[in-house]
Amino acid sequence: MSEIFLDLYKHHLWANLSLLDACEQLPDEGLDAGATGTYGAIRDTLVHLFAAEGRYLAAMAGRGEAPGALKEGTFPGIAELKEHARISGAELMALAGSVTSNNVIKVERGGQRYEIPISIFFAQAINHGTEHRAHVCTALTQQGAEPPNLDVWQYLRIGARR
């Protein structure tokens, strides 16, 4: 994949870590809060975001689920989610920098078999992350908290791109 696309995944990692930073000081009741029309509680949304990203990466790399994979329905804490974000973000960037063809990946999900081009997993990682970061920001706003500005222009303004 072109080096040009690496900025997508660099921004994705920065946005994930920035959101986790914003959630780090939330009390349990804050982490338990959600908002109508979103995935659910902030803690559940964050775990879902990173658990799904781990599943995408496992499929893209042609491996099974990692032994330390996040499990939905559990909450390991913000510090561990940050570690998952760093690892998966680095792996997405490495894959984005090394993939040279749109190979088809065979996966099984819910008893169904699928053949999915790797480009769809790359797109889904960005789309899924953006969607669920917005859910958490909505829940933060509903609690009266100022959500972080996670857009690409903010990423560029603060110099995170370097």
Side-chain angles (χ1 to χ4, degrees):
M1 187 177 290
S2 170
E3 183 179 321
I4 293 168
F5 293 107
L6 286 176
D7 272 337
L8 286 170
Y9 302 99
K10 289 177 184 177
H11 168 263
H12 177 74
L13 173 58
W14 169 83
N16 284 340
L17 291 173
S18 296
L19 182 61
L20 290 167
D21 285 344
C23 294
E24 197 161 35
Q25 299 305 315
L26 288 175
D28 280 342
E29 56 271 11
L31 290 169
D32 289 335
T36 302
T38 66
Y39 180 84
I42 289 173
R43 73 173 72 238
D44 295 338
T45 305
L46 293 172
V47 170
H48 169 72
L49 191 163
F50 297 111
E53 192 162 289
R55 290 189 299 270
Y56 305 151
L57 285 162
M60 293 164 81
R63 63 174 189 264
E65 190 174 302
L70 284 172
K71 301 286 186 228
E72 294 185 46
T74 65
F75 184 70
I78 297 294
E80 189 170 325
L81 290 177
K82 282 183 177 184
E83 187 59 24
H84 280 273
R86 285 184 194 99
I87 291 168
S88 64
E91 191 172 353
L92 271 170
M93 287 186 281
L95 281 169
S98 66
V99 169
T100 58
S101 64
N102 197 16
N103 293 335
V104 171
I105 298 169
K106 296 177 183 181
V107 296
E108 187 175 323
R109 182 90 173 142
Q112 299 274 39
R113 293 184 180 272
Y114 301 94
E115 293 186 3
I116 304 171
I118 197 168
S119 60
I120 298 300
F121 284 99
F122 277 116
Q124 178 61 7
I126 296 297
N127 181 67
H128 187 255
T130 301
E131 178 180 8
H132 289 305
R133 287 190 301 266
H135 287 182
V136 171
C137 287
T138 298
L140 288 170
T141 300
Q142 299 253 325
Q143 293 181 66
E146 182 70 28
N149 181 349
L150 302 176
D151 72 19
V152 174
W153 302 119
Q154 178 68 4
Y155 169 76
L156 185 64
R157 266 192 299 277
I158 65 167
R161 184 175 179 269
R162 288 177 286 211

